[in-house]
Every structure is written in structure tokens, then in C-alpha cells.
Amino acid sequence: MLSQQDNELLCRVGPGTPGGAMMRRFWHPVCTSAQLPEPDCPPLRVRLLGEDYVAFRDSSGRVGLLEELCMHRGASLALGRVEEGGIRCLYHGWKFSATGAVMETPNHADPKYTARMKAPAFPVREEGGIVWAYVGPKELEPAFSRYAFMDVEPEHRVVLRINVSCNYLQLVEGGEDSSHVGVLHTNMARPGWKDNAFTRNPDVVNPAALASNDLEPALKIEDTAFGFHYVALRKTDTPRVQNARVVPFIVPYGRIIPAPAYQFTVLEVPADDTHTSTFLVIHGKEPVNEERIIELLGLNDPMYYNRKTCTFTASWTNSFGQDRAYMKESWTGLRGVEVEDAAIGLSQGPLYDRSREHLVPADQAVTRVRRVMLEAVRRAGEGGPLRALGLDLRGVSACDADLEEGSAWQDLLPSHRETPLA
Ligand code: FES
Ligand SMILES: [Fe+2]
């Protein structure tokens, strides 16, 4: 349970809010590289932390991020022409470069005036198939944090974006909640559930393919320099051996989920208080098949996902596509991991009030998310150091492994200890 006041503190991320000030200290994904597929392609409207921007790829392939509304008289640059090294407003033809230089002001063609002006533009990096931007105070720009998925060949990585109409924290908490995996994702986690005969799902791509039938995992949690990590320990059929699933939480909204063959890095980026862009990166030692991932997530059905706009399209208007007749075979009557997660997040409403819930020990990682995030909001307000800020995150990962009695779960991912404190 969280007081309404703390709930607001964590969930509200717009300009002028304490949560928004904390969020603005970090670099954020703003779109996938694939959404700006080639030089001079159509620009993209971007909403991040309750503010609107336009992203575009100029003639040389460089990506720029500007405030959406033109500095002259406020027409949207997302309607503009992207040409000859910049983006040109349709209204009076002012033209801006990716760095915000004012290139032309045709209705006031005084070169001195043009040179004096600078459009509100933001630092941008393109890494790992994602366009990242920093929109916080200039003097506080942190080092750019690298993730392991940025170091693999593009064929070994799939990047997806899914826009979901609810507050980011609901989706973050779902991701840091091991005990839901064996229930919500029953069909994938525990095939044979109908006959009460557990067999491990042989699909090495599926992050919900649990090694154990135990629905009551014991959690152990430890704070780290990037946030925290926790282990969910489940009973196995072998005496003195438990199944250990270690998942990190990376401040302010990141996690990594293990599948047998791949790692799923998930970033729940707040577009505003009631909309989230989930960036999902799957990477591993083997090439990744994008169509297979989309199918696994349940996003190959247009009822659920618009691939052009990257939007999760199911809602209460179609009961999230739930098929009650199909529930004889499928626990949820839904299809796919992401469809199940997004439907649950949306079912909690646009911004869930946590003051009336009833937590149990299996929710400890969810509680820790809140504690670490409240600490981050407080520290940002005091100008103190923030976990994960500016860290090299390439050593952060997740695992699902056997753990013998007496061994330390932290030894499964020793690199987490080596990530230095900020
Ligand atoms: S409003 Fe953009 S050029 Fe006038
Ligand atoms: Fe899930």
C-alpha cells in the first residue's frame, strides 16, 4: 500500500512535478531507429514526460529532437518538410537543423537575425536501434548509459515499441513481479496446468517458460548501484536445489527478464501520466527472429497491435480481445505475453491508486520499486546522487538457473556487484 501522496509523487511526471524532475535527469528512449527509417523521411511526433517534441532524420542521417511547436508562431513542425539538412516549418518556412541552428527565416531574411536565433533542441544519441534524448537541465546532463544489447550485431537484436494507455508504474510493477509469471502467463509458464501435470515449456525464446510449478516464490532483494536486483526462489523436484530467477530493476523504469536463450530488456518510458511507451529489446548469442517474437508477445494480431503506430490497440471497448470460450484451454482467454501484461496494466485504470491494495510477501519486489523510486525523487530534489544515473549498465543482466542449497544467489550474476556505486 502506498499513500495517495506518495502515489502521486511517483506517478506524476509532467513538467514542474518532483517525479518529473527526477525523470528529467536521465536519458530516455524517444523512438526506435526504425520509426525514422531513412534520411529526410517523415518526421515523428514524440511525447515524453508530458511534453511534445518532433524527431526527424536529416539528409545526412543524423537525428534531431526539437520542441514540437515552431519557435516563430507555434505551428507543429511535425507537419514540416524534411529537406536539405533540416526541417522546414510549413507556415512561413523557417528552417532548423538537427542541433537547433536556425538555417533560414524567409519572411525576415536578415542573416543577422537568423544567426542570433536558436531553436529549442535537445541532445540525441542513436544506440542499439533506439533514438535516445536528454531533455533535462543542460548543466546536469549525465554520461550516456550503455546496455549490453547495444554491443551485439543488429541480427542478434530485435527492438519493439508498444504504446500503452496507462501510467508507467503499473507496467514497471508488473515487470518486477515474479509471482504473476506462473499465474497470469499460466499457459506459457506451466503447460499441462489443466491436468495438474507440470512440464517445462520447451520454448527457449519465451521469458515466461518457468522451470518450476511453484506459485509461491520466496523473494530476496538487495539494493545495487543501478537500483536493485532480486531473486525469486522456487522449489524444484531435486532435493536441495531451487530454481533461482534473478531480475534487476534499473532506475527509473528498466528491467531485464531472462528467457532461456535471450534477455528481454524492457524500458517503460512515460509519455505522460496516463500513457507509456514500452521499449522492448530482445538480444542474445543467437540471431533473433522478429516475427517469432511478435507472435510470442501476441502482437501479430491487429486487434492488439498497430505495427505502424506501435500502439497497443485492445481496450475495454473490445474486452481486450478476451475469448471466454477459449478459456477452457487458455488461462486468460488472451493470446501472448505482452497482450496479457498490457491488458492487466490497462485493467488497473489510467493511473492506479495504490492506497487500497493488500500486499503479501510475494509483492516485496514491487514494494522495493516504490521505495527506490521515492528515494530517487527525494534525492533529485536535494541534488543528491541518483542510482543508475550515468552508469555503464552493460554488466546488468538477468538469469534463470538452478541454485544449490548453501550457494549465494548473488554469485549467479557477479557483474552486478562490480557495477560501481554512483
Ligand atoms: S510558425 Fe513556423 S515559420 Fe512561422
Ligand atoms: Fe508478465
Side-chain angles (χ1 to χ4, degrees):
M1 178 183 141
L2 200 61
S3 70
Q4 270 176 346
Q5 194 185 6
D6 282 350
N7 198 50
E8 293 283 301
L9 212 49
L10 291 187
C11 294
R12 303 277 174 200
V13 293
T17 61
M22 180 274 286
M23 287 278 180
R24 281 168 175 75
R25 299 285 306 277
F26 292 86
W27 284 83
H28 298 286
V30 291
C31 64
T32 67
S33 294
Q35 289 187 283
L36 295 171
E38 61 200 14
D40 293 336
C41 62
L44 196 69
R45 293 180 77 208
V46 168
R47 189 157 169 80
L48 175 66
L49 304 174
E51 296 188 280
D52 295 309
Y53 305 90
V54 62
F56 68 101
R57 193 183 291 282
D58 75 11
S59 316
S60 71
R62 177 175 187 169
V63 177
L65 186 78
L66 306 177
E67 281 184 8
E68 183 192 355
L69 301 188
C70 176
M71 64 183 292
H72 174 222
R73 278 179 43 217
S76 173
L77 292 174
L79 291 173
R81 300 174 63 91
V82 184
E83 57 191 15
E84 293 163 351
I87 187 166
R88 189 188 292 281
C89 179
L90 287 190
Y91 205 177
H92 313 92
W94 288 31
K95 184 177 169 187
F96 310 100
S97 78
T99 57
V102 180
M103 302 165 79
E104 290 171 39
T105 51
N107 62 348
H108 185 60
D110 170 358
K112 279 205 225 93
Y113 177 78
T114 310
R116 235 185 15 250
M117 303 305 283
K118 173 98 170 67
F122 302 88
V124 167
R125 296 279 294 258
E126 194 168 6
E127 296 279 358
I130 292 177
V131 175
W132 306 74
Y134 176 73
V135 298
K138 278 196 179 51
E139 66 285 5
L140 295 177
E141 182 183 327
F144 180 78
S145 286
R146 297 190 68 79
Y147 288 79
F149 70 76
M150 294 173 179
D151 287 353
V152 302
E153 297 296 317
E155 313 83 73
H156 289 235
R157 175 175 69 214
V158 162
V159 179
L160 295 171
R161 173 180 176 180
I162 308 144
N163 304 328
V164 184
S165 297
C166 70
N167 184 260
Y168 81 99
L169 194 58
Q170 284 151 233
L171 303 175
V172 167
E173 290 183 353
E176 295 293 328
D177 169 17
S178 207
S179 81
H180 89 277
V181 180
V183 184
L184 176 63
H185 306 307
T186 283
N187 269 54
M188 288 161 272
R190 301 182 296 119
W193 62 277
K194 289 191 299 287
D195 310 318
N196 219 1
F198 177 73
T199 42
R200 182 166 192 170
N201 183 341
D203 183 359
V204 295
V205 179
N206 197 323
L210 291 185
S212 163
N213 201 24
D214 183 358
L215 294 184
E216 203 180 346
L219 305 193
K220 294 193 173 142
I221 311 178
E222 197 174 78
D223 286 350
T224 61
F226 51 79
F228 69 83
H229 58 178
Y230 77 99
V231 65
L233 295 165
R234 289 180 170 86
K235 297 178 200 80
T236 68
D237 293 337
T238 316
R240 292 185 296 282
V241 174
Q242 287 182 302
N243 169 251
R245 223 169 129 89
V246 183
V247 169
F249 171 66
I250 304 163
V251 173
Y253 46 53
R255 68 182 180 271
I256 304 177
I257 302 291
Y262 299 103
Q263 302 256 305
F264 284 57
T265 305
V266 192
L267 304 167
E268 306 287 4
V269 186
D272 56 33
D273 293 349
T274 53
H275 295 86
T276 303
S277 294
T278 302
F279 287 81
L280 188 57
V281 187
I282 298 94
H283 86 279
K285 291 198 181 75
E286 301 294 322
V288 198
N289 180 324
E290 180 164 338
E291 292 310 312
R292 173 80 184 78
I293 298 287
I294 286 185
E295 186 193 338
L296 171 90
L297 297 172
L299 300 179
N300 54 337
D301 182 337
M303 172 163 58
Y304 291 116
Y305 186 57
N306 181 326
R307 290 174 78 159
K308 190 164 167 18
T309 61
C310 302
T311 305
F312 187 80
T313 42
S315 68
W316 276 119
T317 54
N318 60 0
S319 294
F320 301 106
Q322 191 179 38
D323 180 343
R324 291 252 155 208
Y326 178 53
M327 284 170 87
K328 289 197 182 68
E329 290 154 51
S330 152
W331 173 259
T332 57
L334 304 166
R335 288 165 208 268
V337 186
E338 173 63 23
V339 167
E340 290 173 340
D341 284 330
I344 290 295
L346 287 163
S347 77
Q348 292 174 302
L351 199 161
Y352 173 53
D353 170 7
R354 292 166 177 76
S355 65
R356 289 169 52 94
E357 61 189 7
H358 299 83
L359 298 175
V360 295
D363 297 312
Q364 282 168 80
V366 170
T367 314
R368 188 64 66 100
V369 167
R370 301 171 187 177
R371 192 198 300 170
V372 166
M373 290 291 280
L374 284 168
E375 173 201 78
V377 174
R378 179 176 51 74
R379 285 190 185 178
E382 294 166 352
L386 298 183
R387 293 180 199 273
L389 189 69
L391 291 191
D392 185 341
L393 299 170
R394 285 178 295 177
V396 184
S397 75
C399 76
D400 185 323
D402 282 345
L403 186 71
E404 292 201 19
E405 200 175 272
S407 331
W409 63 272
Q410 293 92 337
D411 290 343
L412 294 171
L413 292 170
S415 58
H416 285 194
R417 283 204 183 114
E418 287 149 20
T419 308
L421 271 164

